[in-house]
Amino acid sequence: SNNGYYCQQKDLIHLGAKYSPCMRLDPKLNEYIQRERALERSSACCVRNDNSGCIQSTECLDKFAKFVKWPGNDAPDFKNGTTITVRTSGSVCGQDPRYCRSQHEVGTADQWPDDITKWPICSDPLPKEDFKNSTYENVRCNVVGHPCCIGQEARCEIVTKEYCKYKHGVYHSEATLCSQVNCMQDTCGLIPFRVADKPDQIYRLWLPVMLHAGILHCLVSVVFQMTVLRDMEKLAGWLRIGIIYIFSGITGNFASAIFLPYRAEVGPAGSHFGILACLFVEVLQSWQLLKSPLRALFKLVAITTVLFVFGALPWIDNFAHIFGFISGLLLSFVLLPYITFNRFDRHRKRIQVVTCSALFIGLLTALFFFYYIHPITDCSVCRYINCIPFNEDFCSNHGFRPEDRT
């Protein structure tokens, strides 16, 4: 998973990378998951004719296997209020309410719904001998496929253990249906979600600031911190610079989660651009003290322009750069010490502090709104800000696409 120079996407996600589907219930991804769950609702147990086993599927070739679909094929009873009918959803390979002790003599409220996607894993099944001697084909057959969580998009497939290992997936031998496992939790790792189907790992906004994708990535950060960042700490103090560094990284990751939700990223790119913005503010605040302020400002503009142009290349997150820079600019006006030259200058800089504080709070509020309340799911123009497509495949590495699940 790590060749010494970089980490794979799935490893970065497990370490705490910025990855939007782990931070909120992603609207586009959830739409596809619900479609897959609807397909599973119509699935049934496919029992092979050569007694080589059975597997849950939505289709079954009649020449080679039998599709044990309910309400036919000895479907179990279902209590619907005062009437008793037979179940229409199912069957399920290796799981049946008649072979789970918790479903014996239960009331209507406690029985499993007539919807297999809402069935839990049976915690107290009957002995294995009862399964082997059963007259029901979906019960006595040898289940050869179980849910396997594959890829960073949390895709679930009912496959064999060997195939799941080949795809580097997480195999759930304890479950019989994809609806019984939480593939997104397997993908994200770290602290379990408070509500199983609702990702809430908001700490991925600041955790990636302290992570790196490999040795080369870490070396670049060390060089920046031992040159630019160290000088800024000497000038303004570690606390002020620390606040600007962390909050610039958080703001950059927040924007990146909105515009590049499916790409896992680590590193303090937004923080570095926030510190770069500090240099601009230092020049502007000390304009009267510098011998050649225009020359200093021109150098900074030239360097920043080049870096933003490089941000339009693949694998570089320009959204984190841009919003980290904006955040660092606003916070620098608020936190960095300044010199006043007259009464008007003192009042102007105080108003400047209040204005920039309000603008920074407004920026975070806007990001929160467009991430949680009214998510931006499609922005055709935004892609050109982050990567200029010189050819068809030049900008294809922006993470997976939910539509690729089909």
Side-chain angles (χ1 to χ4, degrees), residues 202-244:
I202 190 64
Y203 48 82
R204 289 179 182 270
L205 286 177
W206 57 85
L207 192 57
V209 176
M210 296 170 277
L211 300 174
H212 295 84
I215 295 175
L216 295 177
H217 191 195
C218 186
L219 284 175
V220 172
S221 291
V222 170
V223 170
F224 181 89
Q225 290 168 3
M226 294 303 293
T227 53
V228 179
L229 185 60
R230 185 176 64 173
D231 291 341
M232 289 303 301
E233 284 187 1
K234 290 179 180 179
L235 188 66
W238 67 269
L239 182 59
R240 290 188 179 97
I241 296 301
I243 293 173
I244 295 171

Side-chain angles (χ1 to χ4, degrees), residues 320-342:
H321 293 173
I322 293 170
F323 282 85
F325 184 86
I326 295 172
S327 175
L329 196 68
L330 295 174
L331 289 174
S332 296
F333 278 118
V334 175
L335 296 174
L336 292 186
Y338 56 85
I339 300 173
T340 58
F341 298 95
N342 50 53

Side-chain angles (χ1 to χ4, degrees), residues 37-330:
R37 188 158 293 187
L39 282 175
E40 186 176 66
R41 191 175 293 115
S42 62
S43 69
C45 186
C46 183
V47 183
R48 297 168 183 170
N49 294 334
D50 59 359
N51 295 322
S52 61
C54 58
I55 192 167
Q56 195 75 15
S57 178
T58 55
E59 55 184 14
C60 200
L61 296 176
D62 294 337
K63 292 183 179 180
F64 305 103
K66 180 180 179 180
F67 201 41
V68 185
K69 188 78 173 73
W70 293 340
N73 300 290
D74 299 317
D77 293 338
F78 177 72
K79 298 177 183 176
N80 188 6
T82 56
T83 60
I84 297 178
T85 59
V86 292
R87 292 180 177 271
T88 58
S89 181
S91 62
V92 176
C93 295
Q95 185 172 358
D96 193 296
R98 293 167 292 198
Y99 284 77
C100 188
R101 291 189 181 95
S102 64
Q103 291 299 294
H104 295 174
E105 303 297 330
V106 296
T108 303
D110 298 321
Q111 69 175 341
W112 294 345
D114 189 16
D115 179 355
I116 59 174
T117 63
K118 296 179 180 179
W119 284 14
I121 297 174
C122 180
S123 58
D124 54 350
L126 295 180
K128 291 184 179 179
E129 288 299 320
D130 289 11
F131 278 78
K132 292 180 180 179
N133 298 327
S134 174
T135 58
Y136 307 121
E137 293 176 286
N138 67 297
V139 175
R140 70 168 182 264
C141 65
N142 178 35
V143 183
V144 296
H146 290 276
C148 174
C149 298
I150 303 171
Q152 68 186 74
E153 67 271 26
R155 187 176 74 254
C156 181
E157 296 180 11
I158 306 279
V159 296
T160 62
K161 187 175 183 179
E162 293 73 21
Y163 182 79
C164 187
K165 184 178 180 180
Y166 168 74
K167 298 293 287 185
H168 304 288
V170 180
Y171 194 66
H172 290 274
S173 58
E174 78 284 358
T176 55
L177 298 165
C178 281
S179 53
Q180 295 173 338
V181 299
N182 190 344
C183 285
M184 187 55 70
Q185 182 66 74
D186 289 336
T187 297
C188 299
L190 299 180
I191 302 173
F193 308 144
R194 286 178 297 175
V195 179
D197 294 330
K198 294 183 179 180
D200 54 8
Q201 296 178 347
I202 190 64
Y203 48 82
R204 289 179 182 270
L205 286 177
W206 57 85
L207 192 57
V209 176
M210 296 170 277
L211 300 174
H212 295 84
I215 295 175
L216 295 177
H217 191 195
C218 186
L219 284 175
V220 172
S221 291
V222 170
V223 170
F224 181 89
Q225 290 168 3
M226 294 303 293
T227 53
V228 179
L229 185 60
R230 185 176 64 173
D231 291 341
M232 289 303 301
E233 284 187 1
K234 290 179 180 179
L235 188 66
W238 67 269
L239 182 59
R240 290 188 179 97
I241 296 301
I243 293 173
I244 295 171
Y245 187 87
I246 294 297
F247 277 94
S248 295
I250 290 173
T251 308
N253 286 332
F254 213 162
S256 179
I258 293 173
F259 298 106
L260 293 173
Y262 308 118
R263 196 168 89 182
E265 292 178 317
V266 295
S271 299
H272 289 170
F273 273 77
I275 298 301
L276 189 62
C278 288
L279 298 176
F280 278 85
V281 174
E282 276 298 313
V283 170
L284 295 175
Q285 298 279 43
S286 308
W287 191 268
Q288 293 91 329
L289 301 176
L290 297 175
K291 184 178 180 180
S292 302
L294 279 174
R295 185 179 178 183
L297 185 62
F298 178 78
K299 284 183 179 179
L300 287 175
V301 170
I303 293 171
T304 306
T305 302
V306 170
L307 291 174
F308 279 132
V309 170
F310 272 111
L313 296 175
W315 293 118
I316 300 177
D317 187 355
N318 227 7
F319 290 110
H321 293 173
I322 293 170
F323 282 85
F325 184 86
I326 295 172
S327 175
L329 196 68
L330 295 174

